[in-house]
Amino acid sequence: MTAPRRRSAPATRAAILDAARERFGTTGYDRVTMRQVAGDVGVDPAMVVRYFKTKEDLFTEAARFDLGLPDLDGVHPEDLAAVLMPRFFAVWEGDAGFLSLLRASASSDAAGAKMLELFAGQVYPALAAAAVDRPAERASLLGSQILGLAFARYVLKVPPLVAMSRDDLSEWVAPVFRHYLTGPPTVC
Amino acid sequence: MTAPRRRSAPATRAAILDAARERFGTTGYDRVTMRQVAGDVGVDPAMVVRYFKTKEDLFTEAARFDLGLPDLDGVHPEDLAAVLMPRFFAVWEGDAGFLSLLRASASSDAAGAKMLELFAGQVYPALAAAAVDRPAERASLLGSQILGLAFARYVLKVPPLVAMSRDDLSEWVAPVFRHYLTGPPTVC
DNA sequence: CCGTCAAGTCACCGACTGTTGACTTGGAGG
DNA sequence: CCTCCAAGTCAACAGTCGGTGACTTGACGG
């Protein structure tokens, strides 16, 4: 059961990626140093640049993931929150990839662009399927509520929001989800 | 009409503060250098540290301001958005002080604490006056929506949200404001 | 006209950053 | 056992950062 003094290349690569995700998620892009990431894994900083050419490339890889949003076509408006919120908690409380991106997008245009890309590629298609009209506006509004909730709960850690149970939170936002996707205004 | 080669001390101090606000608001704390700020004003970097002892002190001063929230006591729930949204636009589209704080709070615990402080000191008291019960939870939820809207519109610049008029935006969020402050759930 | 004091400049320090290239070491295959 | 190549280390570079302290310059009062 002796730990091997030398890992396989994919194993160290994965370990570095995990450490990077964790650091980026808790500290933000700029305040993370490659030496810190290397130190977390117990490896020389040169290894980080060996496997991920540059810091930005490392971040790009760390901030890529699948939101796993379900198909909302045919879901009853009343059930939207019940379907979406479990994914919300899974994504934001899981590995810190998404938090990294959120933190970084606050101070980097490049990261902001990645966030928009992710929205366009995964969030918008899922939400648009449940919108009665004006899918872009409705999806964006709902997205802003989700983003704000994540920012307040997981970044700022606003005490009342941190203290709320998942069920209570889902109950609170359910009417909002319904309103943004199916409520007025329908006319111009 | 010759420009004076030498300013008064308060004038340079104010100029530096303005430049810092602008930089912090558009680039974020970490990516702003004191040399940039000094350069914007056309002054030696040493002047910045002369008037604001340290970079963090400069930021602290740049991120302090008054939201100017009105008294919501007695305001009809239907009119909440009509009263609050003008302040929203004024604050986020005015001088970049608040944007600085939002950007910085994504990657700095110190800035995050300042944001919480500001919420507790100005946002919470105003919103709590209009909440029918559970003021902390209701105000936090509404705050998260406001924060998310600002983040999506002014930081990420989500195209559909940027394109929406102020009136349309107010109309969309009005039912949400009403729900968070006066809607269910009332029971535990 | 000149001394004085604040406003502003200058050169520089030490620390830290991302990144590089040459070196060393370990372990599996012949 | 020895060889060899990948896995990992080491020292160092070039650049930038925040911050310091001694110096210079300008305007104004006597």
Side-chain angles (χ1 to χ4, degrees):
Chain A
M1 205 49 187
T2 66
R5 300 164 182 279
R6 178 127 348 167
R7 275 171 288 217
S8 76
T12 25
R13 218 193 101 102
I16 291 172
L17 194 58
D18 279 353
R21 246 190 274 263
E22 178 70 22
R23 286 279 183 184
F24 283 137
T26 58
T27 319
Y29 181 84
D30 289 306
R31 311 208 156 183
V32 171
T33 111
M34 310 192 73
R35 286 173 167 84
Q36 285 175 344
V37 174
D40 291 345
V41 188
V43 141
D44 192 271
M47 296 299 294
V48 180
V49 63
R50 187 174 197 70
Y51 291 118
F52 309 86
K53 189 65 182 165
T54 179
K55 183 184 179 184
E56 204 176 314
D57 290 353
L58 172 62
F59 174 78
T60 300
E61 200 130 350
R64 175 160 45 209
F65 44 77
D66 185 21
L67 296 181
L69 293 180
D71 184 15
L72 294 180
D73 203 36
V75 173
H76 193 282
E78 303 293 335
D79 301 331
L80 279 169
V83 172
L84 286 175
M85 288 305 283
R87 288 312 307 157
F88 174 86
F89 294 117
V91 164
W92 292 100
E93 298 178 3
D95 68 358
F98 209 2
L99 261 182
S100 314
L101 190 55
L102 177 61
R103 290 197 131 104
S105 61
S107 56
S108 154
D109 286 343
K114 278 171 198 156
M115 182 69 104
L116 284 180
E117 202 175 303
L118 190 141
F119 179 83
Q122 299 191 47
V123 180
Y124 173 73
L127 296 184
V132 296
D133 61 4
R134 303 179 182 225
E137 296 178 13
R138 290 182 181 275
S140 302
L141 286 162
L142 182 43
S144 81
Q145 170 64 93
I146 291 174
L147 227 58
L149 214 56
F151 197 88
R153 187 181 223 234
Y154 300 111
V155 177
L156 294 182
K157 302 190 207 300
V158 178
L161 289 181
V162 174
M164 285 180 68
S165 75
R166 302 184 184 185
D167 287 345
D168 285 348
L169 216 53
S170 300
E171 221 172 304
W172 273 111
V173 301
V176 177
F177 283 22
R178 176 171 44 78
H179 166 252
Y180 278 147
L181 289 183
T182 67
T186 312
V187 293
C188 194
Chain B
M1 203 52 187
T2 67
R5 301 164 181 280
R6 181 142 327 185
R7 273 171 289 220
S8 77
T12 27
R13 218 193 101 103
I16 291 172
L17 194 59
D18 279 353
R21 247 190 273 264
E22 177 69 23
R23 285 279 183 183
F24 284 137
T26 57
T27 318
Y29 181 84
D30 289 305
R31 311 208 156 181
V32 171
T33 98
M34 309 187 73
R35 286 171 167 85
Q36 285 175 345
V37 174
D40 291 344
V41 187
V43 141
D44 193 271
M47 296 300 296
V48 180
V49 64
R50 187 174 196 70
Y51 290 119
F52 309 85
K53 190 64 182 165
T54 180
K55 183 184 178 183
E56 204 176 314
D57 289 353
L58 172 61
F59 174 78
T60 300
E61 200 130 349
R64 176 161 44 209
F65 45 76
D66 183 23
L67 296 182
L69 292 181
D71 184 16
L72 295 181
D73 205 36
V75 173
H76 194 282
E78 304 293 335
D79 301 331
L80 280 169
V83 173
L84 286 175
M85 289 305 283
R87 288 312 305 157
F88 174 87
F89 295 118
V91 165
W92 292 99
E93 298 177 2
D95 69 359
F98 209 1
L99 260 182
S100 313
L101 191 55
L102 177 60
R103 290 198 129 102
S105 62
S107 56
S108 153
D109 286 343
K114 277 170 199 155
M115 181 70 103
L116 283 180
E117 202 175 304
L118 190 141
F119 178 84
Q122 300 192 45
V123 181
Y124 173 75
L127 297 184
V132 295
D133 60 4
R134 303 178 182 227
E137 296 178 12
R138 290 184 182 276
S140 303
L141 286 162
L142 182 45
S144 81
Q145 170 63 92
I146 291 174
L147 228 58
L149 214 57
F151 197 88
R153 186 181 225 237
Y154 300 110
V155 177
L156 294 183
K157 303 190 206 299
V158 178
L161 290 181
V162 173
M164 284 179 69
S165 77
R166 301 183 184 186
D167 288 345
D168 285 349
L169 216 53
S170 300
E171 220 173 303
W172 273 111
V173 301
V176 176
F177 283 22
R178 176 168 44 79
H179 167 252
Y180 278 147
L181 289 183
T182 67
T186 311
V187 294
C188 194

